[in-house]
Amino acid sequence: MKFQEIKNNIFYCGLNDCDRRIFDELIPLEHGTSYNSYLIKGSEKTAIIDTMYPPKTKEYLKRLSENQVGKVDYIIANHGEQDHSGSIPALLEKYPNAIVVTNPKVAENIKSMLFVPEEKIKVISDGEELSLGDKTLKFIFAPGVHWPDTMFTYAKEDNMIFTCDFLGAHYTFSDVFAQESKELENSAKRYYAEIMMPFRMMCKKYTQMLKNMNVDMILPSHGPVHKNPNYILNLYEDWTADTPKNLVVLPYVSMYESTKDMVDYLSEKLESKGIKTFKFDIVDDDLGDLAMSLVDAATIVMGTSMVLAGPHPMAVNVAYLAAVLRPKAKFASLIGSYGWGGNLFGLIGDLLKPLKLDLIEPLQVKGKPKAEDYQKLDEMAQKIFEKHQSMGIV
Ligand code: FEO
């Protein structure tokens, strides 16, 4: 298939992976993903920006041949993770005169992970430029979105920026340009939640930087190219905002419906007070939906049954995930039911500690919740309402 020209001798040479159903062995993918690679033909030199996920290398090289790419001078590596750098060794074999242009951290990563020889790497510094003749590439180090080695490449004359994983989406397409839709927005949010949210403050910083740059196009390494940069930048402005939304997320696991009864009751009470809720069945629901809800939530209430004198292992798993995703939530509580005894919440509380949440008194009941337990849930709903009110979000 012929490479799609994006603008003025800049081509898309990446691939869709429609069959990929999970990323990082963690978050399900609703639309597969794409591994974006870009070919830039300058008047004197040719460069490729980012390469390919290793299992797709053969197909990638075949497409380069089919498109008569006979010469590559530079392979720009914006990031060392293998879904973008994995095909560098194969490209160096195909184009023996090419050299890899990258920053010191990526250089270390590709030497140790891919055995790229040192003499094939040109290490550049932050702000350095590389001429392709009529085009100039400028390298902007962007550590933290999402690896310490991440950088952006800015095509100066074309006013386009290649942002690597930042501002991407797990999404496939036939036309490389973004068709703005709720579906794309959800994919970008799911991607942000899993990959970028732990680095929210860095995302906020680079969102502002790109807004100030007034670029004409944003070209990430997953998902479509944005001809309207403000579409994705405005979404990131919203997701990275410091103030959470009027939303309570209730992830729960319930063995005999008692914990579920408590979750349903609390959710109804909160809704009646004008607070949005998102109930998440830890066993059956899609972890990506939970991650997305954590982008906005002000409060997390975990619900768990007791297993062998402690919280259910599935709840522990979700508490750990919530802690590593570092959402901006401010408040938390715990509810659950036990049969014969134990500590339902200690471990979950410990796992959530790094989030520094303001804890609302938890509620642990024996067996089915009784009238006095429902009253305590009423009180919990009222406390959450007051907390949200204190932030001016309800
Ligand atoms: Fe898409 Fe950090 O790799």
Side-chain angles (χ1 to χ4, degrees), residues 160-202:
M160 295 158 63
I161 193 153
F162 301 83
T163 54
C164 195
D165 285 319
F166 187 52
L167 307 173
H170 289 310
Y171 210 70
T172 55
F173 42 80
S174 48
D175 176 352
V176 76
F177 295 116
Q179 308 293 315
E180 294 165 17
S181 64
K182 199 67 199 167
E183 212 177 22
L184 175 59
E185 181 182 326
N186 279 342
S187 288
K189 188 173 187 178
R190 175 178 281 251
Y191 175 99
Y192 166 80
E194 187 217 342
I195 298 167
M196 296 292 162
M197 186 159 64
F199 313 102
R200 183 172 65 87
M201 296 314 287
M202 299 307 282

Side-chain angles (χ1 to χ4, degrees), residues 187-369:
S187 288
K189 188 173 187 178
R190 175 178 281 251
Y191 175 99
Y192 166 80
E194 187 217 342
I195 298 167
M196 296 292 162
M197 186 159 64
F199 313 102
R200 183 172 65 87
M201 296 314 287
M202 299 307 282
C203 292
K204 202 175 163 77
K205 172 184 154 181
Y206 293 117
T207 298
Q208 202 48 57
M209 184 191 92
L210 292 174
K211 278 214 153 184
N212 294 340
M213 283 177 76
N214 272 320
V215 293
D216 290 340
M217 236 183 266
I218 287 174
L219 303 93
S221 57
H222 298 284
V225 166
H226 296 283
K227 267 207 273 198
N228 170 18
N230 278 336
Y231 168 74
I232 190 72
L233 292 173
N234 289 345
L235 289 172
Y236 266 63
E237 240 176 17
D238 179 41
W239 299 335
T240 60
D242 294 331
T243 306
K245 296 200 163 73
N246 182 28
L247 172 69
V248 176
V249 173
L250 301 112
Y252 69 92
V253 51
S254 185
M255 291 160 62
Y256 291 104
E257 300 280 307
S258 302
T259 298
K260 185 171 185 308
D261 283 352
M262 295 169 77
V263 166
D264 288 343
Y265 184 85
L266 180 63
S267 166
E268 266 177 42
K269 277 284 153 188
L270 290 166
E271 294 271 351
S272 74
K273 290 175 185 293
I275 298 173
K276 281 192 184 153
T277 64
F278 178 71
K279 293 185 282 183
F280 180 80
D281 181 332
I282 292 171
V283 176
D284 288 333
D285 292 346
D286 176 337
L287 269 183
D289 290 336
L290 174 67
M292 282 165 69
S293 70
L294 291 174
V295 171
D296 299 318
T299 301
I300 303 167
V301 179
M302 291 272 307
T304 179
S305 303
M306 182 90 76
V307 173
L308 299 172
H312 194 290
M314 299 288 275
V316 171
N317 182 37
V318 161
Y320 175 73
L321 178 66
V324 297
L325 292 180
R326 295 169 65 194
K328 65 179 101 156
K330 305 289 182 207
F331 315 109
S333 195
L334 304 160
I335 56 179
S337 167
Y338 66 96
W340 46 262
N343 181 348
L344 200 48
F345 304 131
L347 182 54
I348 290 179
D350 287 347
L351 286 168
L352 293 178
K353 246 181 210 153
L355 297 182
K356 297 189 173 75
L357 299 164
D358 179 354
L359 272 182
I360 295 161
E361 193 174 346
L363 177 62
Q364 170 173 327
V365 310
K366 182 169 170 61
K368 290 278 178 204

Side-chain angles (χ1 to χ4, degrees), residues 2-293:
K2 203 163 172 275
F3 290 155
Q4 183 175 354
E5 185 167 12
I6 295 168
K7 184 184 170 184
N8 196 17
N9 279 328
I10 299 178
F11 300 85
Y12 181 76
C13 60
L15 291 170
N16 285 326
D17 189 348
C18 301
D19 299 327
R20 191 151 180 190
R21 286 287 159 259
I22 192 159
F23 211 86
D24 292 341
E25 303 305 316
L26 180 64
I27 299 284
L29 301 180
E30 291 178 310
H31 305 286
T33 193
S34 68
Y35 314 105
N36 298 349
S37 178
Y38 301 96
L39 176 73
I40 305 188
K41 290 183 178 170
S43 56
E44 291 169 21
K45 304 282 186 187
T46 298
I48 281 182
I49 298 188
D50 290 326
T51 67
M52 187 50 58
Y53 177 53
K56 290 272 186 186
T57 299
K58 208 170 155 190
E59 189 182 348
Y60 176 60
L61 296 181
K62 186 166 168 256
R63 284 198 72 208
L64 287 167
S65 296
E66 284 167 0
N67 281 270
Q68 279 96 41
V69 180
K71 175 187 88 116
V72 172
D73 302 286
Y74 303 119
I75 301 164
I76 315 295
N78 277 337
H79 174 32
E81 197 165 7
Q82 292 186 44
D83 51 334
H84 311 294
S85 65
S87 298
I88 289 175
L91 263 192
L92 286 172
E93 226 172 87
K94 185 174 174 70
Y95 303 106
N97 294 323
I99 57 163
V100 180
V101 178
T102 194
N103 65 60
K105 288 196 169 83
V106 171
E108 283 313 308
N109 287 337
I110 60 175
K111 279 192 278 183
S112 70
M113 291 190 281
L114 300 166
F115 306 115
V116 176
E118 187 149 8
E119 62 273 17
K120 295 300 291 180
I121 304 174
K122 174 184 166 63
V123 175
I124 43 85
S125 51
D126 189 18
E128 197 169 327
E129 296 185 355
L130 179 74
S131 174
L132 305 181
D134 60 345
K135 292 184 189 294
T136 313
L137 302 180
K138 180 176 179 174
F139 306 105
I140 300 169
F141 291 10
V145 289
H146 64 131
W147 275 24
D149 71 1
T150 303
M151 70 177 190
F152 303 155
T153 297
Y154 176 57
K156 277 175 83 174
E157 291 79 3
D158 297 292
N159 197 26
M160 295 158 63
I161 193 153
F162 301 83
T163 54
C164 195
D165 285 319
F166 187 52
L167 307 173
H170 289 310
Y171 210 70
T172 55
F173 42 80
S174 48
D175 176 352
V176 76
F177 295 116
Q179 308 293 315
E180 294 165 17
S181 64
K182 199 67 199 167
E183 212 177 22
L184 175 59
E185 181 182 326
N186 279 342
S187 288
K189 188 173 187 178
R190 175 178 281 251
Y191 175 99
Y192 166 80
E194 187 217 342
I195 298 167
M196 296 292 162
M197 186 159 64
F199 313 102
R200 183 172 65 87
M201 296 314 287
M202 299 307 282
C203 292
K204 202 175 163 77
K205 172 184 154 181
Y206 293 117
T207 298
Q208 202 48 57
M209 184 191 92
L210 292 174
K211 278 214 153 184
N212 294 340
M213 283 177 76
N214 272 320
V215 293
D216 290 340
M217 236 183 266
I218 287 174
L219 303 93
S221 57
H222 298 284
V225 166
H226 296 283
K227 267 207 273 198
N228 170 18
N230 278 336
Y231 168 74
I232 190 72
L233 292 173
N234 289 345
L235 289 172
Y236 266 63
E237 240 176 17
D238 179 41
W239 299 335
T240 60
D242 294 331
T243 306
K245 296 200 163 73
N246 182 28
L247 172 69
V248 176
V249 173
L250 301 112
Y252 69 92
V253 51
S254 185
M255 291 160 62
Y256 291 104
E257 300 280 307
S258 302
T259 298
K260 185 171 185 308
D261 283 352
M262 295 169 77
V263 166
D264 288 343
Y265 184 85
L266 180 63
S267 166
E268 266 177 42
K269 277 284 153 188
L270 290 166
E271 294 271 351
S272 74
K273 290 175 185 293
I275 298 173
K276 281 192 184 153
T277 64
F278 178 71
K279 293 185 282 183
F280 180 80
D281 181 332
I282 292 171
V283 176
D284 288 333
D285 292 346
D286 176 337
L287 269 183
D289 290 336
L290 174 67
M292 282 165 69
S293 70

